[in-house]
């Protein structure tokens, strides 16, 4: 079987649909990456072969590095390499060996892409890798996006060999008389992927000889399905999310039968889990307000009257106010809810301060007898839970003089005889840049 025309021709067609052909090529020295570099150079790409030495297999790691450099030279490709201290990375990031190698590899590839002004990063995943990924995700529990396999183009990472099997690749290299090395760790069934590759897939193929091709076909079908669903979810997101990113959960739940799936699809990129989505829906059904939900990455949202609002960190929120003395002609109460006027003696003695409101705070509103809780004033004004985080009070001698935007107290009133008046302007909380 001669696959040379198929691989070279398909890779050339693959590149034709991309903009730019300067490519960082991950080159381990194994069959897949060697075939990838060969096909890309044959297609006329400007390749920079990039080899990662993780130093995990002693002399074999050194052998791989030497072979990768030799292959790059034989194909007239520029060659770069790096050595990683994987155990140190695992200790510092508290991650598994597989995760450490993947994160180190892709970060370095991206650094090299930027440093060499390359357009793409090419990796040598093929059809069998894609099938293994589908099965891994299936056994772990996943949705359609986990069963569709890998994307041919994902950001700046490209996978030109996804349609070809490992057998196709080995035939291709034999046709071109190009040598490759074998990573002995792939032959040991000590991790999940190797167990699927070395044990499970051979057992499946014994009973279903065409299994590899049909699994790949299923992945292709699910890829198209997932693309369609993604488009539909984008439409749902636009329908139920306002300009500030707040989601009207109550209206979504009242309008859609598959509300759990839709809401999870909208929130999963923020790190929220299906269990949290269920909790959010239950809280919304109970008309609960004020409950905060925190995603794995620290993102916070708060439920307020059926709306799941975004929370912002307080450290970068800066409220401010200005104080001026103006003439009687500039006295214009009620024209701007963030501007208030007081008698000049408000400036005597203890200085004015802004502080957060706290449960139990009370003020004596202008024109009313007695006092009211600040929390009641905020509730009457339908101030959302997330907005309450940014409420500030104008205070003097522990007396609340003004709840900017809503109510002022009866203290320091302007009288008809006042010719000079204090004007205070409050600037609502703004984000610090």
């Amino acid at each position: 079987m001669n696959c040379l025309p198929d691989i070279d021709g398909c890779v050339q067609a693959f590149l034709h649909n991309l903009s730019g052909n300067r490519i960082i090529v991950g080159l381990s020295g194994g069959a897949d990456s060697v075939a990838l570099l060969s096909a890309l150079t044959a297609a006329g790409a400007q390749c920079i072969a990039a080899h990662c030495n993780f130093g995990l297999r002693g002399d074999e790691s050194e052998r791989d590095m030497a072979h990768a450099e030799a292959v790059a030279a034989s194909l007239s490709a520029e060659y770069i390499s790096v050595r990683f201290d994987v155990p140190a990375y695992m200790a510092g990031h508290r991650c598994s060996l597989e995760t450490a190698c993947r994160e180190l590899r892709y970060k370095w590839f991206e650094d090299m892409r930027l440093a060499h002004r390359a357009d793409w990063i090419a990796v040598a995943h093929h059809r069998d890798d894609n099938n293994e990924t589908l099965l891994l995700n299936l056994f772990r529990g996943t949705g359609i996006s986990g069963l569709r396999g890998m994307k041919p183009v994902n950001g700046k990472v490209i996978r030109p060999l996804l349609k070809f099997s490992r057998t196709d690749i080995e035939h291709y290299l034999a046709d071109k008389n190009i040598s490759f090395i074998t990573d002995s760790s792939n032959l040991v069934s000590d991790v999940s992927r190797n167990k699927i590759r070395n044990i499970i897939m051979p057992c499946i193929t014994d009973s279903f000889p065409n299994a590899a091709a049909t699994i790949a076909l299923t992945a292709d079908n699910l890829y198209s399905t997932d693309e369609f669903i993604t488009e539909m979810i984008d439409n749902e997101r636009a329908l139920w999310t306002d300009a500030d990113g707040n989601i009207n959960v109550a209206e979504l739940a009242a309008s859609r039968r598959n509300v759990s799936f839709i809401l999870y699809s909208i929130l999963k990129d923020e790190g929220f889990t299906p269990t949290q989505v269920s909790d959010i829906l239950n809280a919304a059904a109970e008309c609960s307000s004020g409950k905060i939900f925190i995603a794995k990455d620290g993102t916070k949202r708060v439920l307020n009257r059926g709306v799941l609002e975004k929370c912002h960190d307080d450290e970068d929120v800066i409220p401010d106010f200005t104080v001026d003395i103006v003439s009687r002609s500039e006295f214009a109460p009620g024209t701007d809810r963030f501007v208030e006027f007081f008698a000049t003696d408000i400036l005597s003695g203890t200085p004015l301060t802004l502080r957060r409101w706290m449960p139990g705070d009370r003020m004596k509103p202008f024109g009313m007898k007695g006092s009211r809780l600040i929390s009641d004033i905020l509730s009457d004004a339908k101030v959302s839970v997330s907005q309450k985080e940014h409420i500030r009070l104008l205070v003097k001698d522990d007396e609340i003089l003004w709840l900017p935007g809503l109510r002022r107290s009866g203290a320091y009133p302007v009288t008809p005889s006042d010719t000079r008046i204090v004007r205070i302007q409050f600037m609502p909380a703004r984000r610090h840049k």
Side-chain angles (χ1 to χ4, degrees), residues 353-368:
T353 59
L354 278 177
R355 70 163 174 82
R356 296 175 182 274
W357 81 279
M358 297 179 291
D361 277 339
R362 305 185 74 94
M363 72 178 297
K364 298 176 180 178
F366 186 84
M368 290 182 61

Side-chain angles (χ1 to χ4, degrees), residues 239-300:
L239 192 60
W240 308 113
T241 305
D242 66 19
D244 296 321
N246 303 319
I247 304 167
N248 196 321
V249 175
E251 289 191 8
L252 169 60
S255 305
R256 295 290 185 266
R257 287 193 302 174
N258 299 315
V259 59
S260 295
F261 174 77
I262 295 170
L263 186 57
Y264 173 66
S265 298
I266 293 173
L267 289 173
K268 65 181 180 180
D269 289 342
E270 296 182 21
F272 288 97
T273 66
T275 300
Q276 287 178 306
V277 168
S278 179
D279 291 341
I280 291 167
L281 290 171
N282 289 336
E286 295 168 358
C287 300
S288 174
S289 286
K291 188 170 184 180
I292 294 176
F293 300 88
I294 304 175
K296 290 183 292 186
D297 63 358
T299 299
K300 291 193 298 183

Side-chain angles (χ1 to χ4, degrees), residues 267-332:
L267 289 173
K268 65 181 180 180
D269 289 342
E270 296 182 21
F272 288 97
T273 66
T275 300
Q276 287 178 306
V277 168
S278 179
D279 291 341
I280 291 167
L281 290 171
N282 289 336
E286 295 168 358
C287 300
S288 174
S289 286
K291 188 170 184 180
I292 294 176
F293 300 88
I294 304 175
K296 290 183 292 186
D297 63 358
T299 299
K300 291 193 298 183
R301 282 184 177 267
V302 60
L303 192 65
N304 177 43
R305 298 183 179 89
V307 177
L308 193 63
E309 300 177 343
K310 284 190 170 182
C311 295
H312 301 288
D313 294 333
D314 295 325
E315 288 77 13
D316 61 344
V317 175
I318 304 176
D320 202 357
F321 67 100
T322 60
V323 179
D324 301 301
I325 296 179
V326 298
S327 66
R328 184 79 192 187
S329 62
E330 295 177 90
F331 178 51

